[in-house]
Amino acid sequence: MKNLYADDGSPLYSRLGPYFSDGRRRVDYVLAYHIQKPSSTRRRSSKFGENNFIRRLRRSLSMRSSRAPLQPKEDPEIAAQKQRTDYHEDDKRFRREEFEENLLETGLELEKDEGSKIPGIGFLKIHAPWNVLCREAEFMKLKMPTKKVLHPSHRNLVEKIRLFIHKVTAPLHPKVDANRPQSVKSLSHPFSREKQHLTRCTRAKYSMGKTSAYIINSRLTKCDTEKPADNIEYNLLYEEWASYSVFYKYQPIGLIRKYFGEKVGLYFAWLGVYTQMLIPAAIVGVIVFLYGCATVDDNIPSMEICDPRNNITMCPLCDRACSYWKLVTACGTARASHLFDNPATVFFSIFMALWAVLFMEHWKRRQMRLNYVWDLTGFGEEEEDHNRAEYEFRVMQKTMRQEHSTPKVKLITVTFAIVFGVILYRISIRAALHMSTYPAARSNIRATVKTTAAIINLIIIIVLDEIYAAIARWLTTLEVPKTDKSFEERLIFKTFILKFVNAFTPIVYLAFFRGRLVGRPGNYLYVVGSYRMEECAHAGCLMELCIQLCITMLGKQLIQNNLFEIGIPKLKKLLRRRKSDLDSKQEEELNKTLQRHEKDHILGPFVGLSPEYMEMIIQFGMVTLFVASFPLAPLFALLNNIIEIRLDAKKFVMELRRPIAAKAKDIGRYSSLFPQAFVISFTSDFIPRLVYQYMYSPDGTMHGFVNHTLSYFNVTDFQKGTDPLQPMHLGYKVDMCRYKDYREPPWSSTPYELSKEFWAVLAARLAFVIVFQNVVMLMSDFVDWLIPDIPKDISLQMHKEKILMVELFMKEEQGKRLAARDNQNWDNCTSLSSANKSPPQPRSRPISQANCS
């Protein structure tokens, strides 16, 4: 190894950058490590110091022979602390040197750079020679392109349609790989040094294991050592991918895969397919919403609630502080609920269930096409996952820990407790607003409670998301998984469980539990003493569920997904500038003098794709699981993803260190059909309206539906201490009040018991769930059977590729046999000519010289 700096700190060579000091060998990999700052002084350790014992002995003898007065002794505690620090520094240095020796033994070439302009950081540049790359590629069975090119055969109708669509959408495609024919593919085969002449000259990607290192952004991957290909690719990525001005274009997936690896490429390919599929879902969702707006004035239940002539007096919403109220005051909520709870909602729910299946089928075909183009069809069959360095270290120390599920259970319990706290907040704030003397506060109680509770839930979700992500990584680190794949799977599982529960617990409560465990006037259900459980509005809880989904989606996307990703890096840069003693001009001049690996070290570390996947998975759940209550969810998700793609691209290109290229074959799949049926059945009033119209309506219309859903209560049956403090709030005495439920009236033989209408509606709801689920699953299975996972042209190409590979290597073996036979004939001719020059020997049969001419 060579050092790049002289003793005085000056550089030995002027041309550095992505090269070694000789200017010829390019840097393939950079290891960064901490070193002691040059300004500090440190004693040499007894373990590694050269001739340390002899120097101490001479110092002791000189001190004994001298008559000079004794110097004041150093504080023992400070000396012991320094000795411990020296020992740890030397131990790290010893381990690092041992690691470097192991790298040299594998054939890698190293060069140290400890005189960088970043204080306390040293760099180890690594170059992988061609013979090392060939050896590792053969060991890994890395597929390499051969000289044989596969041309497509006849084009069927589907292929012609696909090419036609490709030509029509040509302005939307990025301007990369313009000279490369899209239908031509080189045959690939596992690399072999014996068959090296068959493969193209391509510098293989070589992974050195999982260490604290990174690949510099100007790494050369082609055999052409004169043109830095990665600089061209970096500029193309910045112009055609990481710019907001190209938001309407497709992503350069091939270039992303080439620069960042297959794993990152598959993520952005999936995100692109998901965003494209959101376009029809968003259009249909907007149509459903506009249908609700157009029919709100013709909705008979809303008209009955808003009609003041009905003069329906409702029972108090809380004990003591709340009084009787008129149903007409809920007119605005009823009209707004119709925007999302109308007959088109059922159609939209079925559409979104099929949309989810079509999306997964489309992604499987797209993924299979990418696997074929990227030579990943056989990946994973013979791949060997290596042990993590942390696992090996813990095995040596024997400090392994088993996985415990107790922390996860505790964290989920914390989420439930927080949601319960928000429920208590809603109950308390409603009672407080009813007792308020301000008319404005009393007139907007429902809107105030709903909105503030949703905002509180959003803040709690955002805060707990960050906490849960850190805790999930900490718990996974404690478990010390054996391989990187196991580590990633465990981390994703923990993060998904915690974040899913955190994001969907308030939504599930509003959809399936609120208003179900309330009781009735005179016999309400109480929690934590005197807190009465919440009731839904007369139009149902669907409107509150819609508000919660709207605020959660917008808040998470604007604050957590976009503002955090934009604001936090800028805030870190601002703090770094304030800590620095340099002004902006000096910092700019210093940045110009930094080498490529020093600039990359300043960038943020790549922590994996798990956070990106978690954002999209939670969004995918909100779009598909509860879309019946919020048809505009696909539109919001589409707008967010258009920004998210370019934001992530900018982050990967400009703000993060280039990740180590890793292969991946798929991303998994998720199901989202079951909750939609329950949302329609139990949260909306769709089923009660159908039951009334076809079983109880005298004229087959919705006239009288509101009165049918309200039960009677005699105010004399209030429990002691629960009747209103102001019974004359409406200006007259109330004898009977109404509440939403299916119960017998007080004058019946079984007062306040559940009526037969309740059981009829419940049976219809359960029947709808069963029918909806089976119909959707049947249609989904039909779509899955109709659309094959592997496109027909890809399957034909794969079959043809196998045949051509067999023919290629059969010709090669035949050529080897002919060459061997020619060599043997040449040897025979040589021996024959030497025999003719020697004295004649008696022989019984003449030698044929036909093949020697």
Side-chain angles (χ1 to χ4, degrees):
M1 293 185 295
K2 295 181 180 180
N3 286 314
L4 300 180
Y5 295 85
D7 295 335
D8 57 353
S10 60
L12 295 175
Y13 301 89
S14 59
R15 182 186 181 185
L16 296 175
Y19 291 90
F20 272 25
S21 58
D22 55 10
R24 299 179 59 187
R25 293 172 295 173
R26 291 190 61 89
V27 179
D28 294 319
Y29 211 83
V30 175
L31 292 171
Y33 56 91
H34 291 278
I35 57 176
Q36 195 162 8
K37 296 182 180 179
S39 59
S40 62
T41 58
R42 183 172 63 92
R43 298 177 302 172
R44 299 292 297 253
S45 173
S46 61
K47 183 176 180 180
F48 300 99
E50 297 178 0
N51 302 323
N52 193 42
F53 175 75
I54 298 176
R55 285 201 303 269
R56 286 192 300 168
L57 181 61
R58 290 177 179 174
R59 190 183 305 116
S60 176
L61 293 175
S62 62
M63 289 178 62
R64 288 183 181 179
S65 59
S66 64
R67 300 291 182 178
L70 295 176
Q71 298 292 331
K73 294 183 178 180
E74 189 179 7
D75 188 357
E77 294 184 0
I78 298 177
Q81 185 177 3
K82 288 183 178 180
Q83 188 174 3
R84 285 195 297 268
T85 304
D86 294 343
Y87 174 77
H88 288 303
E89 288 292 332
D90 287 332
D91 185 60
K92 291 179 182 178
R93 184 165 53 107
F94 173 75
R95 292 179 181 274
R96 188 167 61 246
E97 291 174 354
E98 185 179 6
F99 178 72
E100 292 169 359
E101 291 176 0
N102 293 334
L103 293 181
L104 290 172
E105 289 179 0
T106 60
L108 300 175
E109 298 175 3
L110 312 179
E111 187 174 69
K112 279 189 175 182
D113 181 5
E114 293 188 352
S116 64
K117 298 181 180 180
I118 302 178
I121 298 296
F123 298 98
L124 181 67
K125 299 179 181 179
I126 301 176
H127 171 76
W130 179 253
N131 59 337
V132 175
L133 292 175
C134 293
R135 182 191 68 206
E136 296 298 323
E138 186 174 14
F139 176 75
M140 297 168 58
K141 297 181 180 179
L142 189 66
K143 283 190 174 182
M144 302 292 291
T146 64
K147 297 178 181 178
K148 185 70 175 179
V149 177
L150 178 64
H151 294 277
S153 56
H154 64 282
R155 293 175 179 175
N156 53 15
L157 180 61
V158 177
E159 183 68 15
K160 291 180 180 178
I161 294 175
R162 191 173 69 86
L163 291 176
F164 174 75
I165 295 175
H166 183 82
K167 290 181 180 179
V168 172
T169 59
L172 303 180
H173 290 274
K175 298 177 182 179
V176 295
D177 295 336
N179 298 325
R180 179 184 175 185
Q182 299 293 328
S183 58
V184 176
K185 179 181 180 296
S186 299
L187 297 181
S188 299
H189 189 267
F191 183 81
S192 174
R193 281 173 285 187
E194 297 179 356
K195 301 179 179 63
Q196 186 175 341
H197 62 280
L198 293 175
T199 60
R200 292 181 177 179
C201 185
T202 304
R203 193 170 174 83
K205 295 179 180 179
Y206 175 65
S207 176
M208 291 187 46
K210 307 303 180 234
T211 58
S212 57
Y214 54 90
I215 305 174
I216 62 175
N217 281 340
S218 57
R219 178 168 179 247
L220 189 69
T221 57
K222 295 290 183 183
C223 286
D224 184 7
T225 57
E226 296 180 358
K227 296 180 181 179
D230 280 8
N231 287 339
I232 301 174
E233 295 168 1
Y234 181 86
N235 294 333
L236 284 175
L237 284 174
Y238 180 78
E239 295 171 359
E240 298 294 332
W241 185 46
S243 176
Y244 290 105
S245 61
V246 293
F247 71 94
Y248 61 93
K249 288 188 176 183
Y250 292 101
Q251 301 179 85
I253 298 299
L255 192 60
I256 297 171
R257 171 252 178 179
K258 186 178 180 182
Y259 194 80
F260 293 105
E262 285 80 2
K263 196 170 186 179
V264 177
L266 276 177
Y267 164 71
F268 282 103
W270 176 85
L271 185 57
V273 171
Y274 173 47
T275 305
Q276 292 173 23
M277 290 293 292
L278 281 174
I279 296 176
I283 293 174
V284 176
V286 171
I287 293 174
V288 170
F289 177 76
L290 294 177
Y291 171 81
C293 295
T295 59
V296 66
D297 293 331
D298 300 328
N299 184 38
I300 296 176
S302 299
M303 294 170 61
E304 291 182 348
I305 293 175
C306 297
D307 190 356
R309 295 174 296 177
N310 290 329
N311 195 26
I312 299 176
T313 303
M314 303 297 293
C315 295
L317 296 175
C318 62
D319 294 342
R320 303 297 285 169
C322 304
S323 185
Y324 306 106
W325 57 285
K326 291 287 189 180
L327 181 61
V328 70
T329 59
C331 175
T333 305
R335 289 174 62 87
S337 298
H338 178 73
L339 302 178
F340 305 99
D341 187 8
N342 52 69
T345 305
V346 181
F347 159 76
F348 188 58
S349 300
I350 298 175
F351 170 80
M352 287 303 297
L354 294 178
W355 173 88
V357 178
L358 287 172
F359 162 66
M360 294 309 303
E361 293 300 321
H362 178 43
W363 166 242
K364 283 191 293 185
R365 291 172 63 85
R366 171 67 171 161
Q367 180 177 264
M368 193 62 212
R369 190 176 295 276
L370 290 176
N371 287 342
Y372 170 72
V373 175
W374 296 351
D375 293 319
L376 296 174
T377 50
F379 176 73
E381 299 174 359
E382 67 279 346
E383 282 293 316
E384 181 182 357
D385 206 354
H386 301 283
N387 294 343
R388 298 171 62 242
E390 293 84 355
Y391 174 81
E392 299 286 354
F393 181 70
R394 291 294 182 88
V395 167
M396 292 174 59
Q397 290 188 333
K398 298 181 179 180
T399 57
M400 298 289 293
R401 299 187 183 184
Q402 297 296 326
E403 180 180 3
H404 297 288
S405 58
T406 305
K408 285 181 286 185
V409 175
K410 291 181 179 179
L411 293 173
I412 294 174
T413 306
V414 169
T415 302
F416 290 153
I418 291 175
V419 172
F420 184 70
V422 176
I423 295 172
L424 297 183
Y425 160 80
R426 276 200 286 252
I427 297 172
S428 304
I429 199 68
R430 179 181 288 108
L433 291 175
H434 275 287
M435 296 174 64
S436 176
T437 57
Y438 295 100
R442 295 176 62 90
S443 61
N444 298 311
I445 292 176
R446 287 185 180 273
T448 303
V449 172
K450 293 174 185 177
T451 307
T452 56
I455 293 174
I456 291 173
N457 272 326
L458 171 64
I459 295 173
I460 293 172
I461 287 171
I462 292 175
V463 173
L464 287 184
D465 262 358
E466 303 299 323
I467 297 174
Y468 284 169
I471 292 177
R473 182 169 291 275
W474 174 67
L475 290 175
T476 309
T477 306
L478 287 181
E479 295 170 7
V480 196
K482 186 175 181 180
T483 61
D484 286 296
K485 183 178 180 181
S486 176
F487 181 90
E488 188 175 2
E489 288 176 351
R490 296 189 187 190
L491 177 61
I492 289 175
F493 175 76
K494 291 180 180 62
T495 308
F496 176 75
I497 292 295
L498 294 176
K499 289 195 173 186
F500 186 88
V501 172
N502 181 40
F504 286 97
T505 299
I507 298 173
V508 170
Y509 164 74
L510 290 174
F512 304 126
F513 294 99
R514 184 178 178 183
R516 306 288 182 269
L517 306 173
V518 178
R520 60 172 179 81
N523 189 22
Y524 282 112
L525 178 64
Y526 294 89
V527 294
V528 194
S530 60
Y531 289 95
R532 200 176 94 185
M533 289 298 293
E534 297 179 286
E535 300 179 48
C536 290
H538 183 270
C541 288
L542 198 69
M543 189 62 198
E544 295 186 35
L545 178 61
C546 173
I547 293 174
Q548 182 67 55
L549 274 171
C550 179
I551 292 179
T552 301
M553 283 196 69
L554 289 178
K556 278 181 66 67
Q557 292 173 359
L558 292 178
I559 298 175
Q560 190 176 29
N561 296 357
N562 295 331
L563 187 61
F564 280 9
E565 293 186 6
I566 296 175
I568 290 179
K570 293 186 178 297
L571 182 62
K572 288 181 179 179
K573 289 182 181 179
L574 181 62
L575 293 176
R576 190 162 56 243
R577 287 179 180 177
R578 288 196 172 186
K579 290 181 180 179
S580 177
D581 298 332
L582 305 176
D583 56 14
S584 58
K585 291 185 179 180
Q586 292 175 342
E587 187 175 357
E588 186 177 354
E589 292 295 330
L590 177 63
N591 191 35
K592 291 180 180 179
T593 60
L594 291 178
Q595 302 179 46
R596 180 71 265 172
H597 59 273
E598 293 173 336
K599 293 179 181 179
D600 291 347
H601 183 76
I602 300 175
L603 300 176
F606 176 73
V607 295
L609 291 171
S610 298
E612 312 298 334
Y613 273 119
M614 285 301 110
E615 292 176 13
M616 293 297 107
I617 290 172
I618 296 299
Q619 184 201 88
F620 185 76
M622 289 185 178
V623 167
T624 54
L625 295 178
F626 299 96
V627 73
S629 62
F630 189 41
L632 296 179
L635 176 63
F636 288 167
L638 174 64
L639 297 177
N640 171 79
N641 288 3
I642 292 175
I643 301 174
E644 181 76 17
I645 289 176
R646 306 304 164 181
L647 185 63
D648 285 347
K650 209 173 189 67
K651 180 173 65 175
F652 271 80
V653 172
M654 301 186 63
E655 297 177 1
L656 295 180
R657 300 171 190 167
R658 185 177 179 182
I660 301 173
K663 286 192 174 184
K665 199 174 182 180
D666 52 43
I667 62 168
R669 60 181 301 171
Y670 307 92
S671 178
S672 58
L673 305 180
F674 193 64
Q676 292 190 34
F678 278 91
V679 171
I680 297 172
S681 297
F682 291 92
T683 308
S684 72
D685 279 342
F686 175 74
I687 299 301
R689 288 196 295 262
L690 286 181
V691 172
Y692 173 77
Q693 185 174 2
Y694 293 105
M695 290 183 63
Y696 300 103
S697 177
D699 54 358
T701 64
M702 293 301 296
H703 289 285
F705 172 72
V706 174
N707 186 65
H708 176 76
T709 59
L710 297 176
S711 299
Y712 290 89
F713 178 74
N714 193 335
V715 298
T716 59
D717 294 334
F718 273 119
Q719 290 181 347
K720 185 178 180 181
T722 61
D723 54 321
L725 292 174
Q726 299 177 350
M728 300 294 294
H729 172 70
L730 297 178
Y732 56 88
K733 183 180 180 182
V734 177
D735 296 324
M736 288 282 181
C737 64
R738 309 292 295 274
Y739 62 99
K740 187 177 181 180
D741 204 350
Y742 292 100
R743 291 183 180 271
E744 298 291 341
W747 56 79
S748 69
S749 58
T750 56
Y752 308 125
E753 294 293 329
L754 295 174
S755 62
K756 60 181 182 179
E757 290 85 355
F758 171 82
W759 299 110
V761 171
L762 179 61
R765 283 173 166 168
L766 295 176
F768 177 82
V769 170
I770 296 173
V771 172
F772 181 91
Q773 187 69 16
N774 282 277
V775 168
V776 170
M777 289 184 66
L778 181 63
M779 296 175 68
S780 302
D781 292 339
F782 175 73
V783 171
D784 192 7
W785 170 79
L786 187 65
I787 303 176
D789 294 344
I790 304 177
K792 188 176 181 180
D793 60 323
I794 296 296
S795 60
L796 293 175
Q797 293 276 70
M798 292 172 62
H799 181 68
K800 185 178 180 181
E801 184 174 340
K802 291 180 180 179
I803 296 175
L804 289 178
M805 287 300 301
V806 172
E807 293 179 357
L808 177 65
F809 286 104
M810 289 295 292
K811 290 180 180 178
E812 182 196 1
E813 294 296 330
Q814 185 178 2
K816 285 184 178 180
R817 287 196 299 268
L818 291 175
R821 190 173 62 183
D822 292 341
N823 291 335
Q824 185 179 3
N825 291 336
W826 177 258
D827 293 339
N828 292 336
C829 292
T830 305
S831 60
L832 180 62
S833 60
S834 60
N836 291 334
K837 293 180 182 180
S838 62
Q841 300 291 333
R843 57 182 180 268
S844 59
R845 185 177 300 175
I847 297 177
S848 174
Q849 300 184 7
N851 296 328
C852 299
S853 58

